[in-house]
Amino acid sequence: MIGQGYCDEQCNTLLSLVNTLKLKGRLIFLYGKDSISHHSVCEIKIDNQYCMFDPFYGIIIRDKYGKIVCVKSIVDRIKLIKSTPKNSEISINEYKALYSKKYGYKIAKYNQILQLPDEKRIHTYYTIWYLIFGESSRKRLFSYYYKMNQVAYKEQKKINKLFE
């Protein structure tokens, strides 16, 4: 991925791939020393801890025990950044500046779709219904959904066509 696309595009691609593995992740904007985001990295939750990955520069930062650290740890302990790749266009001092506390970092988005409590409940009902009754009762399930959500007849026909 190094050298292909902008940093946020590369992070979003990595986060999409990680989402298929059912791992949580998030896109982080690094502001550093001014109020404009100059770089994006991502964090992936591994073993119940967020770990920072920078696909644009190909950088992963580890602590003295070899564990991949999160952005907050890097900001708090800037000396964790020991080098940048030899082929990168950024110096170590420029890279460290991205993690400056002056303007901090912002979590821009999460890779998983967050559902409201009602959406979770409805999804659970539909999942259970489908597990019990399967494809043979899909029409009854959809009819119930259309009625509960007041879906127009024209839209119902479009949705039904997808399953023919």
Side-chain angles (χ1 to χ4, degrees), residues 143-158:
S143 294
Y144 174 73
Y145 173 83
Y146 298 148
K147 183 178 178 181
M148 294 302 294
N149 293 285
Q150 300 175 345
V151 176
Y153 182 72
K154 187 176 177 180
E155 296 302 313
Q156 291 178 28
K157 286 181 78 172
K158 287 181 187 176

Side-chain angles (χ1 to χ4, degrees), residues 9-140:
E9 293 172 328
Q10 290 187 20
C11 288
N12 282 323
T13 300
L14 180 57
L15 289 171
S16 293
L17 291 170
V18 164
N19 191 43
T20 64
L21 300 172
K22 306 290 185 221
L23 293 174
K24 292 183 179 181
R26 53 195 185 187
L27 176 67
I28 310 280
F29 289 165
L30 301 175
Y31 290 85
K33 295 186 177 188
D34 65 38
S35 61
I36 299 168
S37 174
H38 292 280
H39 189 52
S40 300
V41 296
C42 53
E43 290 183 322
I44 299 167
K45 199 167 195 177
I46 302 170
D47 294 333
N48 219 27
Q49 288 185 295
Y50 278 105
C51 303
M52 188 283 293
F53 294 86
D54 184 342
F56 188 80
Y57 289 117
I59 294 174
I60 298 170
I61 311 252
R62 298 176 185 270
D63 64 14
K64 64 182 179 183
Y65 304 107
K67 293 190 93 164
I68 302 171
V69 297
C70 64
V71 171
K72 182 183 182 326
S73 295
I74 297 167
V75 169
D76 291 344
R77 297 179 288 161
I78 202 72
K79 290 183 180 180
L80 287 170
I81 301 173
K82 296 188 182 357
S83 66
T84 56
K86 290 179 177 35
N87 61 345
S88 73
E89 298 171 6
I90 192 165
S91 72
I92 188 166
N93 289 332
E94 290 170 321
Y95 196 72
K96 283 181 178 182
L98 295 170
Y99 294 89
S100 172
K101 290 182 182 183
K102 185 171 183 181
Y103 283 92
Y105 62 91
K106 302 244 184 317
I107 298 169
K109 77 169 199 170
Y110 290 84
N111 69 329
Q112 295 181 322
I113 297 169
L114 302 176
Q115 291 181 324
L116 299 172
D118 283 348
E119 291 172 318
K120 286 182 183 179
R121 182 178 46 78
I122 290 167
H123 181 75
T124 301
Y125 291 156
Y126 292 151
T127 301
I128 292 169
W129 174 291
Y130 212 79
L131 285 171
I132 294 170
F133 300 109
E135 186 64 28
S136 63
S137 295
R138 181 180 49 79
K139 285 185 181 182
R140 282 188 19 217

